[in-house]
Amino acid sequence: MEGLLFLAHRIPFPPNKGDKIRSFHLLRHLAARHQIHLGAFVDDPADWQHRDALAPFCKSVKLIPLHPLRARLASLAGLLTGEALTLPYYRNRELRQWADDLARSGAVTRGLAFSSAMAQFMPATLSRRVLDMVDVDSDKWTQYAPTQRRPLAWVYAREGRKLAEWEARVAQDFDATLLVSPAEAALLRQRVPAARHKIGAFENGVDADYFSPARVYPDPYGPGVLGVVFTGAMDYWPNIDAVTWFAERIFPAIRDVVPAAQFTIVGSRPSEAVAALARQPGVVVTGSVPDVRPYLAHAACAVAPLRIARGIQNKVLEAMAMARPVVVSAQAAEGIRAEAGRDFDLAKSEAGFAQAVVARLQTVAPVAHARECILAHYDWARNLAAIDPLFETPTASPILETCPA
């Protein structure tokens, strides 16, 4: 097997945690076909324990500590250089040298960069370079800007512009660029028409055996509680905005009708704003939990009230795999291969969100066809098989017909 350089902005483990889900499954898939040399950042001290778990998939592992506060300060250099702040946030000489040394030695001939920020470390001399951009992150920053006051509004708008320039550059430089959904791929193709023949998508999957409603889980809710659950990393701004909006503007109306309702926010590193929501009646903030499945399995309803979103929301797919009713915003529903009104409930307003959740709480029942939808469209092995030709085709510009877009 030939060597492949795999670069990720966060250590791709554990396999069922937030933004590591896609990177882990991608790593495992490629490891069965290539000798993987993994380079990744560790921004959470608790993640160092996972280094040994990566050994079965990797020929070598280079983990670089990343201190978020220092990285944020370093990112300000982008204001002087005119580049996106995301790039100096991750810039690291040690990782670049390690990657260059592997390329010069011939230990790796191909490479996969996971996220646009990691493209800066990919040696130009490799015979095949693939970028999994996942989402068009620049558009997310552009969406953030109007929600903030100055000077953050200006900073976010600038980041949207500058990151879009970087995304366009790397999409043209790399042999192929992948995104998480056909909608994301279409957006990047529209922005970078010169690279449209090299832009495609492979969709996420769900470990349907792990997220199985047939398993027995302990009930994390109290007697008589009707759980309304949100899962996700709670230091991530779109999630913070989503739960704040739901807790303050929607949930009180739900409690007026269903006093037994409890809104449980499940996710690591809750921000101060999220932690403060626990002061509201019926709102619980758990922080990090060892397993989100009990919270899904025993919830009367899951919600995804995102107002800012890109790509595919794993939280929605996982709740559907558990056959739970899910009420989502239009932004959270984008790109999901499911039927609104059948596989999930789509809410288009605050009042509509409250009404949909109340209806689910008043008739608590599993949604079997939601799980059937996941089994039909979100199988990791099937979806990942589409990327194999990108590393095997000898031509300089692989065509991505195998990747649905």
Side-chain angles (χ1 to χ4, degrees):
M1 293 192 292
E2 293 193 50
L4 186 147
L5 179 63
F6 191 112
L7 300 173
H9 68 293
R10 297 187 71 194
I11 180 173
F13 205 89
N16 288 295
K17 185 176 180 181
D19 62 350
K20 301 178 181 185
I21 297 171
R22 182 175 171 96
S23 59
F24 168 78
H25 285 278
L26 185 56
L27 172 68
R28 183 174 66 174
H29 178 83
L30 292 173
R33 295 153 180 81
H34 307 272
Q35 287 189 337
I36 301 295
H37 296 264
L38 170 68
F41 289 101
V42 179
D43 61 359
D44 183 345
D47 282 343
W48 286 104
Q49 66 181 308
H50 302 308
R51 181 187 181 102
D52 291 344
L54 295 168
F57 308 105
C58 302
K59 178 74 172 178
S60 70
V61 176
K62 181 70 171 179
L63 298 182
I64 303 292
L66 187 147
H67 304 282
L69 178 58
R70 295 179 193 173
R72 282 194 289 271
L73 292 174
S75 72
L76 297 178
L79 297 175
L80 300 177
T81 61
E83 63 188 335
L85 305 185
T86 299
L87 300 180
Y89 183 94
Y90 288 103
R91 189 158 291 146
N92 184 276
R93 292 180 182 178
E94 185 179 354
L95 183 60
R96 176 177 290 280
Q97 186 65 54
W98 176 79
D100 288 344
D101 288 346
L102 283 171
R104 276 194 296 268
S105 71
V108 296
T109 58
R110 300 158 195 233
L112 184 287
F114 188 83
S115 85
S116 63
M118 301 309 291
Q120 64 185 307
F121 301 106
M122 188 61 69
T125 55
L126 299 183
S127 64
R128 178 58 44 79
R129 302 191 307 159
V130 176
L131 170 63
D132 186 1
M133 195 177 288
V134 189
D135 304 323
V136 182
D137 277 335
S138 59
D139 193 65
K140 199 181 302 178
W141 286 105
T142 301
Q143 291 183 56
Y144 289 170
T147 70
Q148 304 295 315
R149 297 178 179 178
R150 295 180 180 179
L152 280 182
W154 177 85
V155 172
Y156 288 178
R158 178 192 182 278
E159 187 68 3
R161 294 192 305 272
K162 293 297 183 178
L163 194 54
E165 294 173 3
W166 174 251
E167 290 166 345
R169 174 182 165 184
V170 295
Q172 294 178 79
D173 288 349
F174 274 60
D175 296 299
T177 298
L178 301 168
L179 293 111
V180 74
S181 72
E184 292 293 297
L187 175 59
L188 189 63
R189 284 172 169 168
Q190 180 182 10
R191 290 186 174 190
V192 196
R196 62 179 298 110
H197 63 292
K198 300 192 292 182
I199 298 170
F202 84 87
E203 294 175 297
N204 281 357
V206 177
D207 187 337
D209 180 61
Y210 183 82
F211 287 99
S212 172
R215 296 176 180 270
V216 177
Y217 306 95
D219 189 349
Y221 306 109
V225 168
L226 292 174
V228 178
V229 67
F230 178 97
T231 62
M234 294 319 307
D235 59 349
Y236 179 52
W237 169 246
N239 287 345
I240 296 171
D241 176 76
V243 298
T244 301
W245 177 55
F246 185 84
E248 295 180 347
R249 302 293 297 272
I250 299 171
F251 188 62
I254 295 170
R255 287 266 293 184
D256 285 345
V257 181
V258 186
Q262 174 181 297
F263 180 39
T264 302
I265 302 168
V266 180
S268 60
R269 302 187 298 274
S271 68
E272 290 184 9
V274 172
L277 295 175
R279 292 196 289 265
Q280 297 183 207
V283 178
V284 174
V285 179
T286 68
S288 181
V289 299
D291 191 347
V292 301
R293 293 175 298 172
Y295 292 89
L296 290 171
H298 292 279
C301 177
V303 293
L306 287 103
R307 298 190 291 181
I308 299 170
R310 290 247 54 94
I312 298 291
Q313 297 300 315
N314 288 325
K315 57 177 64 66
V316 176
L317 301 184
E318 291 166 359
M320 289 173 60
M322 298 284 287
R324 302 320 301 155
V326 193
V327 183
V328 306
S329 63
Q331 293 89 330
E334 184 176 345
I336 294 179
R337 294 180 184 270
E339 182 181 341
R342 179 180 183 273
D343 302 315
F344 60 77
D345 297 330
L346 179 62
K348 298 182 179 180
S349 66
E350 291 179 1
F353 224 117
Q355 291 168 6
V357 173
V358 166
R360 288 299 184 179
L361 296 181
Q362 291 176 333
T363 309
V364 179
V367 186
H369 41 73
R371 179 169 172 82
E372 293 167 3
C373 172
I374 296 299
L375 295 175
H377 298 296
Y378 293 99
D379 177 77
W380 275 115
R382 182 174 61 245
N383 291 357
L384 280 164
I387 73 169
D388 290 335
L390 302 182
F391 295 96
E392 298 166 359
T393 305
T395 56
S397 298
I399 305 300
L400 302 184
E401 279 96 353
T402 52
C403 299

